[in-house]
Amino acid sequence: MSKLRIAIQKSGRLSEDSLKLLKDCSIKFPKGKNKLIAESTNFPAEILYLRDDDIPQYVENGIADVGILGENVVEEVQKAIRVDKKLGFSKCRLSLAVPKDVDYQGVQYFNSKKIATSYPVLTEQYLAKHNVKADIEYISGSVEIAPSIGLASGICDLVSTGGTLLSNGLKEVEIILKSEAVIISNPNLAPDKQALLNKLLFRVETTLKAKNYKYILLNAPNEKLDKIIDILPGMKSPTVLPLARGKWSSVHSVVNENDFWNVIDLLRENGAEGILVVPIEKMVL
Ligand code: ATP
Ligand code: ZN
């Protein structure tokens, strides 16, 4: 029987969340730090541990079927691969930054300047779009020190909180790309492998959806039930069960994380009591 080969980052910012995602999909792998390949004990899959930059090429040439990595790398390396799903972790942006005392007026600042980056393709594309001609200096790491050592007038690098830029005396001036982790796959998978990928994607969707919702239980006086049911969106409509004593009911529903606090405030204003909120592990709709 064929196995789905899933490439993930061996060690770095993506590793832990990639493993956690597979775990949440109930796909188990034996632990072993120095392994390059491991076989799942309960799903027809093998995991390949690679440098994130190598993952697109492995997926393109079919050594791996599926990969988990940042969109920033996917966009930079431009391989013939398919992006199947955004995963919501490892969020960051690829940005241009300059020394913080520069009087920056716009992207034209970079005309004829030197920019240090590990993302020459995306940097070049962005500059070309804005008719800027700069001199791009490729360096593979520690890009943020380039201006202070006189190597470049600006940089193009990944930013999440901006703390690294700040501590190197830089400020973010243009966002080139917003990125998060994605699942990619080879576009020409054999049907049996495609079926396994579909199974994996279904599990991923089920897990990710659940993360955005909470299960909510509350007690409501019966005379306020109509109002409270209107407040709760739910998947269909809320479940209402009578309490053993008094003119009260227990109401159960599912609430989206985004309007969660609004809903809670409205419920309390309308007489709800004993509100319990519980995480949902999986959501199959
Ligand atoms: P490797 O040894 O696998 O090549 P790396 O040094 O290129 O590792 P990491 O620093 O582990 O990579 O980052 C991996 C990915 O994590 C990035 O490509 C990006 O998608 C994401 N990421 C999220 N936030 C940040 C950040 N603040 N800085 C860098 N990468 C980030
Ligand atoms: Zn890398």
Side-chain angles (χ1 to χ4, degrees), residues 9 11-14 51-53 70 72-73 90-92 119 158-160:
Q9 189 189 26
S11 70
R13 295 175 197 259
L14 293 156
R51 283 199 58 196
D52 65 345
D53 316 71
N72 50 308
V73 173
S90 290
K91 287 193 176 171
C92 59
Y119 293 86
L158 296 175
V159 185
S160 49

Side-chain angles (χ1 to χ4, degrees), residues 122-151:
L122 290 172
T123 307
E124 188 65 65
Q125 266 180 8
Y126 182 83
L127 295 176
K129 204 170 80 191
H130 292 86
N131 295 316
V132 173
K133 269 206 164 346
D135 180 9
I136 292 175
E137 181 84 18
Y138 172 81
I139 43 177
S140 64
S142 304
V143 172
E144 64 281 358
I145 62 161
S148 63
I149 59 172
L151 179 65

